[in-house]
Amino acid sequence: MHYHISHTTEYSYDEPVGFTTQLIRLFPRMDDRLRMSEYELSVFPEGDLYWLRDPYGNAIAKFFTTEKSKQLSVTVTTRIEHRQESAFDFLLDTHAIQFPFKYSESESEILQPYLSSTEPEPVLTEWLNSSAVTLKGDTTICLTSLIQKIHQSIGYQRRDEPGIQTPTETLQTQSGTCRDYAVLLMAVCNDLGLASRFVSGYLHASSDDPTTRGADALHAWTDVYLPGAGWRGLDPTNGIWCSHSHIPLAVSKNPLETTPIEGSYCADHPVSSSM
């Protein structure tokens, strides 16, 4: 599958302002399935760009400018070839074919940061016990049952304001945006002893599937580590495993560390703005 992506984010201010260093996480994560033939990043006003890799392997552009402006614009254009034909093009290790399973000692040591939850969520256990999710048997079937249950239980609600709901809030309100779905799935996975991480990226929907939630825009989903398969994407917002329609940009245990554009403006008083 070939994609041509053009993505612009523009911030407008009522008067000229200065800017802190901006962190831009809009560089696709390359692997054996994803290839990039073209990439261009442009920022207005003019300034300096420095590239780095964070501890998660995400490519981050640091933008710095001394200019003041009434506008900050970030534009990315890229061409991608996604070679993954099936979401299930993997072979699990024998001990992980049936769920529940345990990671090996070496895996557990490396995956420890992705196995611990930041805060206990008693509501999760109650929800799992009452949700009729299949938690024993074929691992792929169990995980499919889990993401489809989240998809069916939580009402999708687009929210442009910053911030992420706690899993408890999402379960209690039974609504959320894609990032809330992803954080909920991470918490459930941790409760089940599965390593998970947050993913920010793009989602493309085919023309014959108008029901896809969060399509043709920035999207969020969850990676789960499966022995023998590695990190595999699960999209609870749509109740599906990730395949060639999902293009990852940044991953992290902390969703805030995947923010596509991170920074602020500088002024000696509040300035009205829009995005």
Side-chain angles (χ1 to χ4, degrees):
M1 184 71 70
H2 293 266
Y3 296 104
H4 178 210
I5 301 169
S6 179
H7 174 198
T8 298
T9 302
E10 185 174 296
Y11 302 89
S12 299
Y13 303 88
D14 285 351
E15 60 185 78
V17 297
F19 300 98
T20 64
T21 298
Q22 306 290 311
L23 302 181
I24 303 170
R25 302 181 180 93
L26 293 172
F27 192 93
R29 289 176 62 90
M30 300 293 101
D31 59 21
D32 59 301
R33 293 163 289 178
L34 205 64
R35 292 288 185 270
M36 182 168 55
S37 59
E38 181 181 316
Y39 183 87
E40 182 178 355
L41 169 64
S42 59
V43 184
F44 178 87
E46 292 186 353
D48 296 316
L49 277 173
Y50 304 89
W51 287 92
L52 66 104
R53 290 273 180 180
D54 70 5
Y56 298 100
N58 301 314
I60 302 177
K62 295 178 68 174
F63 173 75
F64 174 78
T65 183
T66 57
E67 291 190 27
K68 289 188 174 183
S69 176
K70 295 179 66 176
Q71 177 184 322
L72 174 65
S73 178
V74 177
T75 298
V76 168
T77 55
T78 183
R79 292 186 183 274
I80 297 288
E81 180 186 3
H82 208 317
R83 300 178 179 179
Q84 184 176 6
E85 296 183 2
S86 168
F88 303 99
D89 60 346
F90 56 80
L91 185 65
L92 294 173
D93 285 347
T94 303
H95 73 279
I97 293 175
Q98 296 290 311
F99 190 81
F101 62 81
K102 289 187 177 181
Y103 294 114
S104 67
E105 185 176 342
S106 60
E107 286 174 331
S108 295
E109 182 178 357
I110 296 171
L111 295 171
Q112 192 55 47
Y114 303 99
L115 286 165
S116 57
S117 187
T118 54
E119 68 173 289
E121 301 270 1
V123 175
L124 289 176
T125 303
E126 298 175 13
W127 179 80
L128 278 172
N129 291 337
S130 62
S131 62
V133 174
T134 302
L135 294 177
K136 287 186 178 181
D138 184 283
T139 296
T140 57
I141 293 177
C142 291
L143 291 175
T144 300
S145 173
L146 175 59
I147 59 176
Q148 289 184 347
K149 186 62 180 181
I150 293 176
H151 166 71
Q152 295 162 3
S153 302
I154 308 301
Y156 178 71
Q157 180 182 38
R158 177 166 178 166
R159 190 174 72 249
D160 293 328
E161 296 80 7
I164 300 175
Q165 297 175 170
T166 65
T168 295
E169 290 172 330
T170 301
L171 289 174
Q172 289 177 339
T173 61
Q174 295 188 334
S175 68
T177 189
C178 58
R179 55 189 183 273
D180 303 319
Y181 281 80
V183 168
L184 171 59
L185 179 56
M186 287 174 63
V188 173
C189 286
N190 286 165
D191 198 59
L192 296 173
L194 293 170
S196 63
R197 63 187 186 183
F198 188 93
V199 187
S200 171
Y202 298 115
L203 169 62
H204 173 70
S206 60
S207 57
D208 58 354
D209 188 10
T211 62
T212 301
R213 299 168 172 177
D216 296 319
L218 281 171
H219 190 54
W221 59 91
T222 307
D223 269 356
V224 177
Y225 189 85
L226 301 176
W231 290 105
R232 290 286 155 170
L234 300 175
D235 183 352
T237 306
N238 293 291
I240 58 176
W241 291 64
C242 297
S243 60
H244 57 73
S245 296
H246 295 75
I247 300 172
L249 296 172
V251 304
S252 176
K253 175 63 178 178
N254 181 355
L256 297 179
E257 294 177 337
T258 68
T259 303
I261 302 175
E262 178 183 350
S264 60
Y265 73 87
C266 303
D268 57 9
H269 58 277
V271 177
S272 296
S273 64
S274 62
M275 182 181 73

